[in-house]
Amino acid sequence: DKVIQWIMREEGGVADVGDGMGITRYGQTSEWLERWGLPAPHSHEDAYINYARWLEHTHLDTLCDADDMLPIVVADFAIHAGERPAIKALQEAVGVTADGIIGPKTLEAVDNADRNVIAHLVLATRIEHGGAVIRNNPQRAIYAKGWAARWARQLRYLA
């Protein structure tokens, strides 16, 4: 619940932010919905259910057992960059093979590590990723202020 609530606060309602992805409904683009076989949300509750199903399908829900920022940092990264880059960042942070799929080895490594440190390392990778997105597509720099504010909120919460 905490992860989805955080995402819903960050993603807002229905908008076209001008990123070429069309209208997003609570952060859910038509492409994303199609990829995961989810219906277009027509309400806050619909979007919530879609995120819950997505977390289960990607196995990101397995990170949600603890009451900390790690699942929020990883899931929020996954929403913007895709699941594989976010999960790979998690795997690199815990020192396992970075294949982009959460499995028993990843979960065991997470269980044996300091989750706060892992969250910081994943967020650092996300910030680097955001810089690379802007470097590779300078038109995306218009989103930098919002992205930076979002990352700063996570850092402050981690502190």
Side-chain angles (χ1 to χ4, degrees):
D1 282 347
K2 182 180 175 183
V3 174
I4 299 171
Q5 289 172 8
W6 183 286
I7 292 167
M8 296 290 286
R9 271 194 313 273
E10 291 291 341
E11 292 297 334
V14 179
D16 184 344
V17 297
D19 62 0
M21 299 299 289
I23 293 176
T24 64
R25 300 178 190 298
Y26 309 94
Q28 300 173 11
T29 65
S30 58
E31 179 183 326
W32 184 86
L33 292 164
E34 185 176 320
R35 179 173 176 224
W36 295 107
L38 299 169
H42 297 289
S43 68
H44 186 271
E45 292 77 21
D46 292 346
Y48 191 98
I49 291 167
N50 282 350
Y51 279 126
R53 289 180 180 157
W54 171 74
L55 286 169
E56 289 173 13
H57 186 74
T58 59
H59 303 290
L60 289 169
D61 63 326
T62 58
L63 300 176
C64 298
D65 293 341
D67 185 27
D68 60 22
M69 281 296 289
L70 180 60
I72 291 169
V73 169
V74 176
D76 197 52
F77 187 177
I79 286 168
H80 280 160
E83 299 77 24
R84 285 178 110 41
I87 294 168
K88 284 181 177 184
L90 169 69
Q91 292 169 322
E92 289 169 1
V94 297
V96 298
T97 301
D99 62 5
I101 300 168
I102 294 178
K105 290 181 183 177
T106 301
L107 294 174
E108 181 181 355
V110 168
D111 287 344
N112 292 323
D114 182 325
R115 291 172 64 101
N116 193 51
V117 170
I118 299 167
H120 278 92
L121 293 171
V122 171
L123 188 52
T125 300
R126 181 176 185 186
I127 292 167
E128 291 170 338
H129 179 269
V133 167
I134 293 168
R135 182 187 65 242
N136 295 334
N137 187 347
Q139 294 84 0
R140 300 276 182 187
I142 63 171
Y143 305 112
K145 182 178 180 182
W147 293 347
R150 191 171 184 143
W151 303 329
R153 283 189 291 279
Q154 291 179 14
L155 279 171
R156 286 187 188 99
Y157 202 90
L158 281 165

